[in-house]
Amino acid sequence: MIKSFIDACNNQIDGIKVTYDHMMWIWFSFVDKEGKHYFYRTNVWTIATELMKLIQPWFLGYGLMTFVSHDAVMAHAVFVMAIATMSLSIIFGWRASQNRELFIGQSVRTLDHIINKRFFEKELGLHIEENELLCQSSMEKGRERAEKINHAAIFMGVETAITLVVTFTILVFLKPVAGLIILMTLIVSVLFSLYMNNEVMTKADPIEKEYRAIVRRRNELWHNVERVLSNGKGEAEVKDLDRRFDIMLNREDGDRDVWLGYINHTPTREFANLVGTAAVVYYVGWQTFHGTATQSEFLSVYSWAGAVMIQVRLFARIERELAFCIPAVKRMRQALDLPKRVVDAPDAIELPDDLVEVTFESVSHNYKGGNNVLEKVSMTIGRGKSVALIGPSGAGKSTIVRLIQRYMDPVDGRILVNGIDLRKIKLASWQRLIAYIPQKPQIMDGTLRDNLLYGLSADEKMAWDDERLWAFVRRFRVDFGSRLNKGLDTQVGKHGVELSGGEAQRVMIASAAIRNARLYIIDEATSSLDAESQAAVQDALYELLASGASALFIAHRLSTISRCDDFVVLQQAALAKQLGVPQVEAVASSQHQLSDISPTFRRLAELEGITVAA
Ligand SMILES: Nc1ncnc2c1ncn2[C@@H]1O[C@H](COP(=O)(O)OP(=O)(O)OP(=O)(O)O)[C@@H](O)[C@H]1O
Ligand SMILES: [Mg+2]
C-alpha cells in the first residue's frame, strides 16, 4: 500500500519533470535576450499593478468605518487615496500590457527563427531514415503548441503566480491563520495538479500520435489531390478520415475519455477550494463578530481569499493547456534535436574551386541496417568526363547520387574527390561545386527569374541582366512563347503548378546550368521532354560541359546518353549476389564496347530498337 503510494508519487514527479524540462527548453530556446528584457519588465509592472489592486478592499473597509464614525476628513482622504491607487493600477497595467505585447511579438519571431535555422542546420528534410518524425505536420503542430505554451504557461503562468504570491503574502502578513488555511488549500490543489498532469501526459501521447498520423494522411491527400480525384476517391477519403477521427475520439482511453476524465475530476478541486475559502471567511468573520478584527480587515481578507482562489483556478487552466500542448512539442523537439545527418570532421579541408574527379572505392550501403542496396561498388567519374549510369529500377542509382552529395555516408568503402575521402572534406565547399538536377522538378512559387537564379548569391544575381539571362536560358528552351505573358516576371505557381512537366524540367536544368558547377548530376532530367527539345537541351548541356566540368547522367533511355564518355552498368545488389557476379556489371568507354560486355545494356538497346555502331 505504502509502496504503491510512493510509486504513484514518483510517477507524478517524473511527469512534472518532463513538463518542466520541455518548458525550460522552450524558454531557453525561444526567448532571446530582447524577449527576456520585455518579460522582466512586464513582471515588475504586473507586481506593481497587483499591489495597487489588492489595496482596494482595505480602502473600502476603512472608508466604511469612517462613515460609521462620521469622520469626514478621513473619509475624503481615503476616497482620494483609493482613486489615486486605482489610477496607478490602470497606468501600471497599461505598461505591463505594452511590455507583454512586445514580449509576445519577440518570442513568436524567435520561435520561427530557431525552427527555420535548425531545420536547415540539421538538414532535416534529408534525414532519409527519419521521415515519420520529420513530417511537416509534426513540425507545424509542435510550433503552434510551443507558441501556446510560451504564452499560456510561461507568460500567463508567471503573471498568475505573481498575483498569487503577492496576495498570499499580504494575507499571511495580516492574518496568519487565514494564510495557513489558504496554504493547505493550495497544497491540495497542487497535489491534484500533479496527479492530473501525469494522467493526461501518459494517456495523451498515443492520441497525439494517432492525430499526427491523420494530419499526415490529410496533407498527403491534399498534395496528391489529382490522384484522389481522378480515382473518384474524394468522398471515400473524407469518410475514411472521419472514421479514423471517430476511432481516436471514442475508443477507450481515446480523446474523449482522457479529457472527460480530466473534467470529471475538476469539481473535487473546486470543492476543496470552496471549503478553504469558506473556512477563511468564517474565521475572520468570527473575529470581526467578536471585535478582534475590524470590518475593513474582514472585507480585505474576504476579497483576497477570493483572489487567491481565482488564481488557483487560472493555474488549473494553464496546467490543462500544458498537458494538451506538451506531447506535440515533445515530438517537434525530437525532430529538432536530431543530430546533423553528417558533420564535418574537425580537420576537414576546404575544396578549392577546381575540376573534380569522383571515385567510388568498394562502396557498400544499406538503409536502416537492411540488405545492402550497394555492394562493393567501384566506379570513377573522371575529371571533365561525362559518365552515364545505367541500371534497372531499384539498382541503387539514386542512392549513388545521394552518397555523392553526402546526404549520408556509406556503411563501407570510400568515396574520394580528387583523391580525398569525402568525409575529410568540408561539405559546404563540396556542395558549392555541384549542380544537381533531380528527377522530380522542385520549382518554387514565384517568378520564372526567381527560379532560374535560385542557386546564385545576391551578388552573382546582379551579373544576370534580362538580356544575358535570356540568351543563356533560351538554349535550354526556357522560352515558353505566349505562356510567358510577363517574360521573366511570369509567376509559375506553387510547386510550379502553372508549368507543364517538360517546362518545369527545362527551368530546373537551366537553373543548375547557371551555377557554373564542376560536377553536374543529372537524374533522368530530360524524361518529360519531346525529342526535339531533348536534343536541344542535350546540346546545351554538352556545351556547358566543354568548360571541363564532369557529369553523372542517370538515364533509363539510352538515347539520352549516347554522347557520354564513360558508361557504368549497375544491377540490383541482390541479383548480383545470387548470380555470384559484381554489382557493377560493366564499365566501358563506348557503347560499342558496352554492348560486347553488358547483357543488361544489350537488352535495353534491343528494347529501344537501338543499334550500336562499331
Ligand atoms: N529511404 C530509403 N529507405 C529504405 N530503402 C530505400 C530508401 N531509398 C531507397 N531504398 C531502396 O534502395 C534500393 C535502391 O533505391 P534507389 O532509389 O537508389 O534505386 P534507383 O536505381 O534510383 O531506382 P529508379 O531507377 O527506380 O529510380 C531500392 O530497393 C529502394 O527500395
Ligand atoms: Mg532513382
Side-chain angles (χ1 to χ4, degrees):
M1 166 85 181
I2 290 176
K3 190 181 172 301
S4 67
F5 178 75
I6 291 174
D7 282 351
C9 287
N10 278 342
N11 273 347
Q12 261 123 62
I13 288 168
D14 284 348
I16 287 293
K17 273 190 198 154
V18 172
T19 308
Y20 175 78
D21 180 49
H22 287 304
M23 283 175 64
M24 284 300 109
W25 179 74
I26 292 176
W27 174 252
F28 285 112
S29 312
F30 300 149
V31 181
D32 66 353
K33 210 169 145 208
E34 204 178 336
K36 276 180 197 153
H37 169 77
Y38 295 133
F39 177 74
Y40 294 132
R41 288 179 73 117
T42 312
N43 290 342
V44 170
W45 288 118
T46 306
I47 292 174
T49 313
E50 290 311 313
L51 277 173
M52 292 303 114
K53 271 193 211 154
L54 288 172
I55 215 165
Q56 298 308 320
W58 188 83
F59 280 132
L60 184 62
Y62 198 79
L64 281 176
M65 281 164 66
T66 59
F67 296 162
V68 174
S69 61
H70 293 280
D71 187 343
V73 177
M74 273 317 277
H76 280 97
V78 169
F79 181 72
V80 170
M81 287 295 284
I83 295 289
T85 45
M86 259 192 217
S87 307
L88 282 178
S89 99
I90 292 172
I91 292 170
F92 295 164
W94 162 65
R95 297 292 285 159
S97 301
Q98 270 181 342
N99 280 282
R100 182 179 309 131
E101 189 48 45
L102 291 170
F103 171 81
I104 290 174
Q106 188 62 25
S107 62
V108 171
R109 187 205 162 278
T110 315
L111 176 70
D112 253 36
H113 168 79
I114 300 276
I115 291 180
N116 293 337
K117 188 159 171 272
R118 288 222 196 162
F119 193 89
F120 294 114
E121 225 172 48
K122 305 276 173 75
E123 294 143 318
L124 291 183
L126 296 177
H127 279 73
I128 310 279
E129 297 182 357
E130 287 95 358
N131 279 338
E132 197 240 346
L133 188 64
L134 295 171
C135 68
Q136 197 185 341
S137 58
S138 37
M139 297 297 282
E140 282 294 331
K141 195 156 170 232
R143 190 205 161 285
E144 176 215 324
R145 297 280 158 91
E147 207 177 295
K148 256 195 174 156
I149 291 185
N150 209 6
H151 293 177
I154 294 184
F155 210 78
M156 221 166 92
V158 173
E159 197 178 319
T160 309
I162 288 174
T163 315
L164 189 61
V165 168
V166 173
T167 319
F168 181 68
T169 313
I170 296 180
L171 197 59
V172 171
F173 187 70
L174 197 74
K175 290 283 165 200
V177 175
L180 192 71
I181 299 171
I182 292 289
L183 182 66
M184 278 160 57
T185 319
L186 281 180
I187 290 173
V188 171
S189 213
V190 168
L191 286 179
F192 182 85
S193 291
L194 293 184
Y195 168 72
M196 281 319 292
N197 178 66
N198 192 48
E199 279 282 300
V200 171
M201 289 283 281
T202 27
K203 287 185 179 161
D205 223 29
I207 301 174
E208 170 67 28
K209 200 168 175 192
E210 175 57 17
Y211 183 69
R212 243 186 356 258
I214 295 175
V215 174
R216 205 165 48 237
R217 173 78 182 157
R218 179 171 53 215
N219 285 347
E220 200 158 52
L221 292 171
W222 284 357
H223 190 72
N224 299 321
V225 61
E226 266 187 283
R227 185 168 176 204
V228 176
L229 296 183
S230 65
N231 280 286
K233 291 276 191 180
E235 226 169 279
E237 290 294 2
V238 172
K239 263 195 198 141
D240 189 54
L241 287 172
D242 284 350
R243 184 188 56 82
R244 287 179 69 169
F245 213 99
D246 284 343
I247 292 174
M248 180 189 73
L249 214 57
N250 296 320
R251 72 176 149 81
E252 200 185 331
D253 276 347
D255 197 71
R256 270 198 186 137
D257 247 17
V258 170
W259 294 109
L260 278 180
Y262 182 90
I263 287 165
N264 291 344
H265 276 84
T266 41
T268 320
R269 172 166 34 191
E270 298 276 313
F271 275 118
N273 288 353
L274 178 63
V275 170
T277 321
V280 169
V281 172
Y282 192 84
Y283 165 73
V284 187
W286 182 260
Q287 282 199 329
T288 314
F289 190 78
H290 290 282
T292 44
T294 62
Q295 286 95 326
S296 107
E297 281 175 335
F298 173 76
L299 264 178
S300 306
V301 171
Y302 175 79
S303 107
W304 292 337
V308 168
M309 290 314 156
I310 288 172
Q311 300 311 319
V312 169
R313 220 173 272 159
L314 266 179
F315 256 131
R317 255 208 267 159
I318 294 165
E319 164 216 302
R320 183 180 183 277
E321 195 81 352
L322 276 184
F324 179 66
C325 293
I326 293 261
V329 173
K330 193 167 127 192
R331 205 64 193 173
M332 176 181 74
R333 194 176 160 189
Q334 279 173 337
L336 290 176
D337 283 353
L338 275 177
K340 283 186 76 148
R341 68 188 164 97
V342 288
V343 185
D344 280 343
D347 54 350
I349 60 156
E350 188 96 16
L351 266 188
D353 183 6
D354 209 349
L355 300 183
V356 292
E357 177 180 81
V358 181
T359 311
F360 272 54
E361 256 186 20
S362 201
V363 169
S364 299
H365 193 69
N366 61 50
Y367 292 98
K368 300 174 200 157
N371 291 335
N372 277 359
V373 298
L374 293 182
E375 183 75 45
K376 294 194 169 34
V377 167
S378 297
M379 57 179 256
T380 298
I381 305 166
R383 203 165 291 207
K385 298 281 185 193
S386 54
V387 175
L389 184 59
I390 307 158
S393 182
K397 302 181 296 295
S398 295
T399 306
I400 287 179
V401 168
R402 288 183 195 135
L403 287 169
I404 294 179
Q405 295 182 86
R406 213 180 163 204
Y407 288 5
M408 63 261 179
D409 289 322
V411 295
D412 200 21
R414 297 196 305 165
I415 299 165
L416 307 171
V417 176
N418 291 347
I420 310 163
D421 192 324
L422 197 49
R423 283 170 288 211
K424 299 206 172 111
I425 292 171
K426 284 193 179 153
L427 184 58
S429 72
W430 175 222
Q431 282 168 334
R432 266 199 298 278
L433 306 188
I434 306 177
Y436 167 51
I437 309 167
Q439 189 167 359
K440 263 198 211 155
Q442 299 188 359
I443 304 285
M444 308 216 210
D445 199 1
T447 63
L448 179 62
R449 185 192 286 103
D450 296 338
N451 275 285
L452 288 169
L453 299 179
Y454 180 74
L456 303 185
S457 69
D459 280 347
E460 286 166 338
K461 283 180 192 175
M462 303 283 277
W464 289 89
D465 58 32
D466 285 12
E467 202 180 328
R468 183 174 172 213
L469 189 55
W470 268 129
F472 186 85
V473 300
R474 204 164 268 134
R475 291 185 292 158
F476 293 92
R477 295 285 166 106
V478 178
D479 191 350
F480 310 140
S482 60
R483 165 71 191 85
L484 299 180
N485 52 355
K486 288 195 180 147
L488 289 165
D489 291 319
T490 306
Q491 293 286 335
V492 297
K494 192 176 174 197
H495 303 307
V497 69
E498 294 175 30
L499 298 179
S500 76
E503 285 169 350
Q505 278 196 336
R506 279 175 277 170
V507 172
M508 290 299 289
I509 296 169
S511 162
I514 282 177
R515 290 193 60 205
N516 191 20
R518 301 299 189 170
L519 173 68
Y520 288 88
I521 302 175
I522 302 145
D523 194 349
E524 273 289 299
T526 54
S527 57
S528 305
L529 303 190
D530 60 80
E532 198 198 335
S533 316
Q534 194 182 60
V537 168
Q538 292 274 338
D539 282 348
L541 271 174
Y542 279 100
E543 213 174 292
L544 201 71
L545 297 179
S547 67
S550 312
L552 179 67
F553 283 89
I554 290 174
H556 294 112
R557 276 183 292 164
L558 300 181
S559 59
T560 60
I561 47 163
S562 54
R563 286 149 77 179
C564 284
D565 300 308
D566 294 314
F567 302 84
V568 177
V569 181
L570 197 70
Q571 39 176 327
Q572 281 171 347
L575 183 66
K577 198 170 171 189
Q578 202 184 340
L579 300 174
V581 294
Q583 189 179 3
V584 177
E585 184 187 83
V587 178
S589 50
S590 75
Q591 292 205 28
H592 180 249
Q593 198 185 355
L594 201 60
S595 80
D596 280 347
I597 56 174
S598 167
T600 305
F601 179 82
R602 281 198 298 275
R603 212 170 42 245
L604 286 172
E606 198 182 324
L607 283 172
E608 282 186 42
I610 290 175
T611 336
V612 179

